[in-house]
Coordinates of all heavy atoms in Angstrom, one line a residue:
A1 N 178.1 79.4 105.4 CA 177.1 80.2 105.9 C 177.1 80.2 107.4 O 177.3 79.0 108.0 CB 175.7 79.7 105.5
K2 N 176.9 81.3 108.1 CA 177.0 81.3 109.5 C 175.9 80.6 110.3 O 176.1 80.2 111.4 CB 177.0 82.8 110.0 CG 175.8 83.6 109.5 CD 175.8 85.1 109.9 CE 174.8 85.8 109.2 NZ 175.2 86.9 108.4
W3 N 174.9 80.2 109.6 CA 173.8 79.5 110.2 C 173.9 78.0 109.9 O 173.2 77.1 110.4 CB 172.4 80.0 109.7 CG 172.4 80.0 108.1 CD1 172.6 81.2 107.4 CD2 172.3 79.0 107.2 NE1 172.6 80.9 106.0 CE2 172.5 79.5 105.9 CE3 172.1 77.6 107.3 CZ2 172.3 78.8 104.7 CZ3 172.0 76.8 106.1 CH2 172.1 77.4 104.9
C4 N 174.9 77.5 109.2 CA 175.1 76.1 108.8 C 176.1 75.5 109.7 O 177.3 75.8 110.0 CB 175.8 76.1 107.4 SG 176.5 74.5 106.9
P5 N 175.6 74.4 110.4 CA 176.4 73.7 111.4 C 177.7 73.1 110.8 O 178.7 73.0 111.4 CB 175.5 72.7 112.2 CG 174.4 72.5 111.2 CD 174.3 73.8 110.4
H6 N 177.6 72.6 109.6 CA 178.8 72.0 108.9 C 179.7 73.1 108.6 O 181.0 72.7 108.7 CB 178.2 71.2 107.7 CG 177.3 70.1 108.0 ND1 177.6 69.0 108.7 CD2 175.9 70.2 107.9 CE1 176.5 68.3 109.0 NE2 175.5 69.0 108.4
C7 N 179.4 74.3 108.2 CA 180.2 75.3 108.0 C 180.9 75.8 109.3 O 182.2 75.9 109.3 CB 179.6 76.6 107.4 SG 178.7 76.2 105.8
V8 N 180.3 75.8 110.3 CA 180.9 76.3 111.6 C 181.9 75.3 112.1 O 183.0 75.7 112.5 CB 179.7 76.4 112.7 CG1 180.4 76.6 114.1 CG2 178.8 77.6 112.4
R9 N 181.6 73.9 111.9 CA 182.5 72.9 112.3 C 183.7 72.9 111.4 O 184.9 72.7 111.8 CB 181.8 71.6 112.4 CG 180.8 71.6 113.5 CD 180.1 70.2 113.6 NE 181.1 69.1 114.1 CZ 180.8 67.8 114.0 NH1 179.7 67.4 113.5 NH2 181.7 67.1 114.4
T10 N 183.5 73.2 110.1 CA 184.6 73.2 109.2 C 185.6 74.3 109.5 O 186.8 74.1 109.5 CB 184.1 73.3 107.7 OG1 183.4 72.1 107.5 CG2 185.2 73.5 106.8
V11 N 185.0 75.5 109.8 CA 185.8 76.7 110.1 C 186.6 76.4 111.4 O 187.8 76.7 111.5 CB 184.9 77.9 110.3 CG1 185.7 79.0 110.9 CG2 184.4 78.4 109.0
E12 N 186.0 75.8 112.4 CA 186.6 75.5 113.6 C 187.8 74.5 113.3 O 188.9 74.6 113.9 CB 185.7 74.8 114.5 CG 184.6 75.8 115.1 CD 183.6 75.1 116.0 OE1 183.5 73.8 116.0 OE2 182.7 75.8 116.6
Y13 N 187.6 73.5 112.5 CA 188.6 72.5 112.1 C 189.8 73.3 111.4 O 191.0 73.0 111.8 CB 188.0 71.5 111.2 CG 189.1 70.7 110.4 CD1 189.7 69.5 111.1 CD2 189.6 71.0 109.2 CE1 190.6 68.8 110.4 CE2 190.5 70.3 108.6 CZ 191.1 69.1 109.2 OH 192.1 68.4 108.6
L14 N 189.5 74.1 110.5 CA 190.5 74.9 109.8 C 191.5 75.7 110.8 O 192.6 75.7 110.7 CB 189.9 75.7 108.7 CG 189.3 74.9 107.5 CD1 188.5 76.0 106.6 CD2 190.3 74.1 106.7
K15 N 190.8 76.3 111.7 CA 191.5 77.2 112.6 C 192.3 76.3 113.6 O 193.5 76.6 113.8 CB 190.4 77.9 113.4 CG 189.9 79.1 112.6 CD 188.9 79.9 113.5 CE 188.3 81.1 112.8 NZ 187.3 81.8 113.6
R16 N 191.8 75.2 114.0 CA 192.4 74.3 114.9 C 193.7 73.8 114.3 O 194.7 73.5 114.9 CB 191.5 73.2 115.4 CG 192.1 72.3 116.4 CD 191.0 71.3 116.9 NE 190.8 70.2 115.9 CZ 189.5 70.1 115.4 NH1 188.5 70.9 115.6 NH2 189.3 69.1 114.5
K17 N 193.6 73.5 113.0 CA 194.7 72.9 112.3 C 195.7 74.0 111.6 O 196.6 73.6 111.0 CB 194.2 72.0 111.0 CG 193.4 70.8 111.6 CD 194.3 69.8 112.2 CE 193.6 68.5 112.5 NZ 194.4 67.4 113.0
N18 N 195.3 75.2 112.0 CA 196.2 76.3 111.5 C 196.3 76.4 109.9 O 197.4 76.6 109.3 CB 197.6 76.4 112.1 CG 197.5 76.7 113.5 OD1 196.8 77.6 114.0 ND2 198.3 75.8 114.3
I19 N 195.2 76.1 109.2 CA 195.1 76.0 107.8 C 194.5 77.3 107.3 O 193.4 77.8 107.8 CB 194.2 74.9 107.3 CG1 194.7 73.5 107.7 CG2 194.0 75.0 105.8 CD1 193.8 72.4 107.4
E20 N 195.3 78.1 106.6 CA 194.9 79.4 106.2 C 193.7 79.3 105.2 O 193.7 78.5 104.3 CB 196.1 80.1 105.5 CG 195.9 81.6 105.4 CD 197.2 82.3 104.8 OE1 198.3 81.9 105.3 OE2 197.0 83.1 104.0
F21 N 192.8 80.2 105.4 CA 191.6 80.2 104.5 C 191.0 81.6 104.4 O 191.2 82.4 105.3 CB 190.7 79.2 104.9 CG 189.9 79.4 106.2 CD1 188.7 80.1 106.3 CD2 190.5 79.2 107.4 CE1 188.1 80.3 107.5 CE2 189.9 79.4 108.7 CZ 188.7 80.0 108.7
K22 N 190.1 81.8 103.4 CA 189.4 83.1 103.3 C 187.8 82.5 103.5 O 187.5 81.7 102.7 CB 189.6 83.8 102.1 CG 191.0 84.4 102.0 CD 191.1 85.2 100.7 CE 192.5 85.8 100.6 NZ 192.7 86.4 99.3
Y23 N 187.1 83.1 104.3 CA 185.7 82.7 104.5 C 184.9 83.9 103.8 O 185.1 85.1 103.9 CB 185.4 82.9 106.0 CG 183.9 82.6 106.3 CD1 183.5 81.3 106.6 CD2 183.1 83.7 106.4 CE1 182.2 81.1 106.8 CE2 181.7 83.5 106.7 CZ 181.4 82.2 106.9 OH 180.0 81.9 107.2
H24 N 183.9 83.4 103.0 CA 183.0 84.3 102.3 C 181.6 83.8 102.7 O 181.2 82.6 102.5 CB 183.2 84.1 100.8 CG 184.6 84.6 100.4 ND1 184.9 85.9 100.2 CD2 185.6 83.8 100.0 CE1 186.3 86.0 99.9 NE2 186.7 84.7 99.7
E25 N 180.8 84.7 103.1 CA 179.4 84.4 103.4 C 178.6 84.3 102.1 O 178.5 85.3 101.4 CB 178.7 85.5 104.3 CG 177.5 85.2 104.8 CD 177.4 84.0 105.7 OE1 178.4 83.8 106.6 OE2 176.5 83.2 105.6
I26 N 178.1 83.1 101.7 CA 177.5 82.9 100.5 C 176.3 83.8 100.1 O 176.2 84.2 99.0 CB 177.1 81.4 100.3 CG1 176.6 81.0 98.8 CG2 176.0 81.0 101.2 CD1 177.6 81.0 97.9
E27 N 175.6 84.1 101.1 CA 174.4 84.9 100.9 C 174.8 86.4 100.7 O 173.9 87.1 100.2 CB 173.4 84.8 102.1 CG 172.9 83.4 102.1 CD 172.0 83.1 103.4 OE1 172.4 83.7 104.5 OE2 171.1 82.4 103.3
D28 N 176.0 86.8 100.8 CA 176.5 88.1 100.6 C 177.3 88.3 99.3 O 177.8 89.3 98.9 CB 177.4 88.7 101.8 CG 176.6 88.7 103.0 OD1 175.4 88.9 103.0 OD2 177.3 88.7 104.2
M29 N 177.4 87.1 98.6 CA 178.3 87.1 97.4 C 177.5 87.6 96.2 O 176.4 87.3 96.0 CB 178.9 85.7 97.1 CG 179.9 85.2 98.2 SD 181.5 86.0 98.1 CE 181.3 87.4 99.3
P30 N 178.3 88.0 95.2 CA 177.6 88.5 93.9 C 177.2 87.3 93.1 O 177.7 86.2 93.4 CB 178.6 89.3 93.2 CG 179.9 89.0 93.8 CD 179.7 88.5 95.3
G31 N 176.2 87.5 92.2 CA 175.6 86.4 91.5 C 176.7 85.5 90.8 O 176.4 84.3 90.6
D32 N 177.7 86.1 90.2 CA 178.6 85.3 89.4 C 179.5 84.3 90.4 O 179.7 83.2 90.0 CB 179.7 86.2 88.6 CG 180.4 87.1 89.5 OD1 179.9 87.5 90.5 OD2 181.6 87.3 89.2
I33 N 179.7 84.8 91.6 CA 180.4 83.9 92.6 C 179.4 82.7 93.0 O 179.8 81.6 93.1 CB 180.9 84.6 93.8 CG1 181.9 85.7 93.3 CG2 181.5 83.8 94.8 CD1 183.1 85.3 92.7
V34 N 178.2 83.1 93.3 CA 177.2 82.1 93.6 C 177.1 81.1 92.6 O 176.9 79.9 92.9 CB 175.9 82.8 94.0 CG1 174.7 81.7 94.3 CG2 176.0 83.7 95.3
Q35 N 177.0 81.5 91.4 CA 176.9 80.6 90.2 C 178.0 79.6 90.2 O 177.9 78.4 89.9 CB 176.7 81.3 88.9 CG 176.5 80.5 87.6 CD 175.2 79.6 87.9 OE1 174.2 80.2 88.1 NE2 175.2 78.3 87.8
K36 N 179.2 80.1 90.5 CA 180.4 79.1 90.5 C 180.2 78.1 91.6 O 180.5 76.9 91.3 CB 181.7 80.0 90.7 CG 182.2 80.7 89.5 CD 183.5 81.4 89.8 CE 183.8 82.3 88.7 NZ 185.0 82.9 88.7
V37 N 179.7 78.5 92.7 CA 179.4 77.5 93.8 C 178.3 76.5 93.4 O 178.4 75.3 93.6 CB 179.0 78.2 95.1 CG1 178.6 77.3 96.2 CG2 180.2 79.0 95.6
I38 N 177.2 77.0 92.7 CA 176.2 76.2 92.2 C 176.8 75.2 91.2 O 176.5 74.0 91.3 CB 175.0 77.0 91.5 CG1 174.3 77.9 92.6 CG2 174.2 76.1 90.7 CD1 173.4 78.8 92.0
D39 N 177.7 75.6 90.3 CA 178.3 74.8 89.3 C 179.1 73.7 90.0 O 179.1 72.5 89.6 CB 179.1 75.6 88.3 CG 178.3 76.4 87.4 OD1 177.1 76.2 87.4 OD2 178.9 77.4 86.9
A40 N 179.9 74.1 91.1 CA 180.7 73.1 91.7 C 180.0 72.1 92.5 O 180.4 71.0 92.8 CB 181.6 73.9 92.7
N41 N 178.7 72.4 92.7 CA 177.8 71.4 93.4 C 176.8 70.7 92.5 O 175.7 70.3 92.9 CB 177.0 72.2 94.5 CG 178.0 72.3 95.7 OD1 178.2 71.6 96.5 ND2 178.5 73.6 95.8
G42 N 177.1 70.6 91.2 CA 176.3 69.8 90.3 C 175.2 70.7 89.5 O 174.5 70.2 88.7
G43 N 175.2 72.0 89.8 CA 174.3 72.9 88.9 C 173.0 73.0 89.4 O 172.3 73.7 88.6
D44 N 172.5 72.5 90.4 CA 171.1 72.6 90.8 C 171.0 73.8 91.8 O 170.0 74.5 91.8 CB 170.6 71.3 91.4 CG 170.5 70.2 90.3 OD1 170.2 70.6 89.3 OD2 170.7 69.1 90.7
D45 N 171.8 73.9 92.8 CA 171.7 74.9 93.8 C 173.1 75.0 94.6 O 174.0 74.1 94.4 CB 170.6 74.4 94.9 CG 170.1 75.6 95.7 OD1 170.5 76.8 95.6 OD2 169.1 75.3 96.5
W46 N 173.2 76.0 95.4 CA 174.5 76.2 96.1 C 174.4 75.4 97.4 O 173.3 75.1 97.9 CB 174.9 77.6 96.4 CG 173.8 78.5 97.1 CD1 173.0 79.3 96.6 CD2 173.7 78.6 98.6 NE1 172.3 80.0 97.5 CE2 172.6 79.5 98.8 CE3 174.3 78.0 99.6 CZ2 172.2 79.9 100.1 CZ3 173.9 78.3 100.9 CH2 172.8 79.2 101.1
V47 N 175.5 74.8 97.8 CA 175.6 73.9 99.0 C 176.8 74.4 99.7 O 177.9 74.6 99.0 CB 175.7 72.4 98.6 CG1 175.7 71.5 99.8 CG2 174.5 72.0 97.7
V48 N 176.8 74.4 101.0 CA 177.9 74.9 101.8 C 178.2 73.8 102.8 O 177.4 73.0 103.2 CB 177.7 76.3 102.4 CG1 177.7 77.4 101.4 CG2 176.4 76.3 103.2
P49 N 179.5 73.7 103.2 CA 180.7 74.5 102.8 C 181.2 74.0 101.6 O 181.5 72.9 101.4 CB 181.6 74.4 103.9 CG 181.3 73.0 104.6 CD 179.9 72.8 104.4
T50 N 181.5 74.9 100.6 CA 182.2 74.6 99.4 C 183.5 75.3 99.3 O 183.6 76.3 99.7 CB 181.3 75.1 98.2 OG1 180.1 74.5 98.2 CG2 182.0 74.8 96.8
F51 N 184.6 74.5 98.8 CA 185.8 75.0 98.8 C 186.4 75.1 97.4 O 186.1 74.4 96.5 CB 186.9 74.1 99.5 CG 186.8 74.0 101.0 CD1 185.8 73.1 101.5 CD2 187.6 74.6 101.7 CE1 185.6 72.8 102.9 CE2 187.4 74.4 103.1 CZ 186.5 73.6 103.6
E52 N 187.3 76.2 97.2 CA 188.0 76.3 95.9 C 189.5 76.6 96.3 O 189.7 77.4 97.3 CB 187.5 77.5 95.1 CG 188.2 77.6 93.8 CD 189.5 78.3 93.7 OE1 189.6 79.3 94.5 OE2 190.4 78.1 93.0
Y53 N 190.4 75.8 95.8 CA 191.8 76.0 96.0 C 192.5 75.8 94.7 O 192.6 74.7 94.1 CB 192.4 75.1 97.1 CG 193.8 75.2 97.3 CD1 194.2 76.3 98.0 CD2 194.7 74.2 96.9 CE1 195.6 76.4 98.3 CE2 196.0 74.3 97.1 CZ 196.5 75.4 97.8 OH 197.9 75.5 98.1
M54 N 193.2 76.8 94.2 CA 194.0 76.7 93.0 C 193.3 76.1 91.9 O 193.7 75.2 91.1 CB 195.3 75.9 93.2 CG 196.1 76.4 94.5 SD 197.1 77.9 94.1 CE 198.3 77.2 93.0
G55 N 192.0 76.5 91.7 CA 191.1 76.0 90.7 C 190.5 74.7 90.8 O 189.7 74.2 90.0
K56 N 190.8 74.1 92.0 CA 190.2 72.7 92.4 C 189.0 73.1 93.3 O 189.1 73.9 94.2 CB 191.2 71.9 93.0 CG 192.4 71.5 92.2 CD 193.3 70.6 92.9 CE 194.5 70.3 92.0 NZ 195.6 69.6 92.8
W57 N 187.9 72.3 93.1 CA 186.7 72.6 93.9 C 186.4 71.3 94.8 O 186.5 70.3 94.3 CB 185.6 72.9 92.9 CG 185.7 74.2 92.5 CD1 186.4 74.7 91.3 CD2 185.1 75.4 93.0 NE1 186.2 76.1 91.1 CE2 185.4 76.5 92.1 CE3 184.2 75.7 94.0 CZ2 185.0 77.8 92.2 CZ3 183.8 77.1 94.3 CH2 184.2 78.1 93.4
R58 N 185.9 71.6 96.0 CA 185.3 70.5 96.7 C 183.9 71.0 97.0 O 183.5 72.0 97.6 CB 186.0 70.4 98.1 CG 185.4 69.3 99.0 CD 186.0 69.4 100.4 NE 185.7 68.2 101.2 CZ 184.8 68.3 102.1 NH1 184.2 69.4 102.5 NH2 184.4 67.2 102.8
E59 N 182.9 70.1 96.6 CA 181.6 70.4 96.8 C 181.1 70.5 98.3 O 181.8 69.9 99.1 CB 180.7 69.4 96.0 CG 180.6 68.1 96.6 CD 181.8 67.2 96.1 OE1 182.7 67.6 95.4 OE2 181.7 66.0 96.5
G60 N 180.0 71.1 98.5 CA 179.5 71.1 99.9 C 179.2 69.7 100.4 O 178.6 68.9 99.7
K61 N 179.6 69.4 101.6 CA 179.3 68.1 102.2 C 179.1 68.3 103.8 O 179.4 69.3 104.4 CB 180.6 67.2 102.1 CG 181.0 66.9 100.7 CD 182.2 66.0 100.7 CE 182.6 65.6 99.3 NZ 183.7 64.7 99.2
F62 N 178.4 67.3 104.4 CA 178.3 67.3 105.8 C 179.7 67.2 106.4 O 180.8 66.7 105.8 CB 177.6 66.0 106.3 CG 176.2 66.0 105.9 CD1 175.6 64.9 105.3 CD2 175.3 67.1 106.3 CE1 174.2 64.9 105.0 CE2 174.1 67.1 105.9 CZ 173.4 66.1 105.3
F63 N 180.0 67.8 107.6 CA 181.3 67.8 108.1 C 181.6 66.4 108.7 O 180.8 65.9 109.5 CB 181.3 68.8 109.4 CG 182.7 68.8 110.1 CD1 183.8 69.6 109.5 CD2 182.9 68.0 111.2 CE1 185.0 69.5 110.2 CE2 184.1 68.0 111.8 CZ 185.2 68.7 111.3
K64 N 182.7 65.8 108.2 CA 183.3 64.6 108.7 C 184.8 64.9 108.6 O 185.4 65.0 107.5 CB 183.0 63.4 107.8 CG 181.4 63.1 107.9 CD 181.1 61.8 106.9 CE 179.7 61.7 106.9 NZ 179.3 60.7 105.9
E65 N 185.4 64.9 109.9 CA 186.8 65.4 109.9 C 187.7 64.5 109.0 O 188.6 65.1 108.3 CB 187.2 65.3 111.3 CG 188.7 66.0 111.5 CD 189.0 66.2 112.9 OE1 188.2 66.5 113.7 OE2 190.2 66.1 113.2
D66 N 187.6 63.3 109.0 CA 188.5 62.5 108.3 C 188.4 62.7 106.8 O 189.3 62.6 106.0 CB 188.3 61.0 108.7 CG 187.0 60.4 108.5 OD1 186.0 61.2 108.5 OD2 186.9 59.1 108.3
E67 N 187.1 62.7 106.3 CA 186.8 63.0 104.9 C 187.4 64.4 104.5 O 187.9 64.5 103.4 CB 185.3 62.9 104.7 CG 184.9 62.9 103.1 CD 183.5 62.7 103.0 OE1 182.9 61.8 103.6 OE2 182.8 63.5 102.3
L68 N 187.1 65.4 105.3 CA 187.6 66.7 105.0 C 189.1 66.7 104.9 O 189.7 67.3 103.9 CB 187.1 67.7 106.1 CG 187.7 69.1 105.9 CD1 187.2 69.7 104.6 CD2 187.2 70.0 107.1
E69 N 189.8 66.1 105.8 CA 191.3 66.1 105.9 C 191.7 65.4 104.6 O 192.6 65.8 103.9 CB 191.8 65.4 107.0 CG 193.3 65.5 107.2 CD 193.8 65.1 108.5 OE1 193.2 65.4 109.6 OE2 194.7 64.3 108.6
R70 N 191.1 64.3 104.2 CA 191.5 63.6 103.0 C 191.3 64.4 101.8 O 192.3 64.5 101.0 CB 190.7 62.3 102.8 CG 191.0 61.5 101.6 CD 190.0 60.4 101.2 NE 188.9 61.0 100.8 CZ 187.6 60.8 101.0 NH1 187.4 59.8 101.9 NH2 186.6 61.4 100.6
D71 N 190.1 65.1 101.6 CA 189.9 65.9 100.5 C 190.8 67.2 100.5 O 191.4 67.4 99.3 CB 188.4 66.5 100.5 CG 187.4 65.4 100.3 OD1 187.8 64.2 99.8 OD2 186.2 65.6 100.5
L72 N 191.2 67.8 101.5 CA 192.2 68.8 101.6 C 193.6 68.4 101.2 O 194.2 69.0 100.4 CB 192.2 69.5 102.9 CG 190.9 70.2 103.4 CD1 191.1 70.8 104.7 CD2 190.6 71.3 102.5
K73 N 193.9 67.2 101.6 CA 195.2 66.6 101.1 C 195.2 66.4 99.6 O 196.2 66.7 98.9 CB 195.5 65.3 101.8 CG 196.0 65.4 103.2 CD 196.2 64.2 104.0 CE 196.7 64.3 105.3 NZ 196.9 63.1 106.1
N74 N 194.1 65.8 99.0 CA 194.0 65.6 97.6 C 194.1 66.8 96.9 O 194.5 66.9 95.7 CB 192.7 64.8 97.3 CG 192.8 63.3 97.8 OD1 193.8 62.8 97.9 ND2 191.7 62.7 97.9
M75 N 193.5 67.9 97.4 CA 193.5 69.2 96.7 C 194.8 69.9 96.8 O 195.0 70.8 96.0 CB 192.4 70.1 97.2 CG 191.0 69.6 97.0 SD 189.8 70.6 98.0 CE 189.8 72.1 96.9
G76 N 195.8 69.4 97.7 CA 197.0 70.1 97.9 C 197.0 71.2 98.8 O 197.9 71.9 99.0
V77 N 195.9 71.3 99.6 CA 195.9 72.3 100.7 C 196.8 72.0 101.8 O 197.5 72.9 102.4 CB 194.4 72.5 101.2 CG1 194.3 73.5 102.3 CG2 193.5 72.9 100.1
I78 N 196.8 70.7 102.1 CA 197.7 70.3 103.3 C 198.5 69.1 102.9 O 198.3 68.5 101.8 CB 196.9 69.9 104.6 CG1 195.9 68.8 104.3 CG2 196.2 71.1 105.2 CD1 195.0 68.4 105.5

């Protein structure tokens, strides 16, 4: 979400590391996509930034560069 500081920092990180990604504004997504994000975050509500890569999901978290990098490695992104 463009208003989310953790999303902004995550996007900056991905750009700085030259990691290819597609950005989707959650509030503009159709209901079925929002539901997938809700499900990835435990089924209560959507949380951002949430990632999906090759069927693997990373729930929304506060931006912590070392944690994000570890999670992206575990997902096979980097």
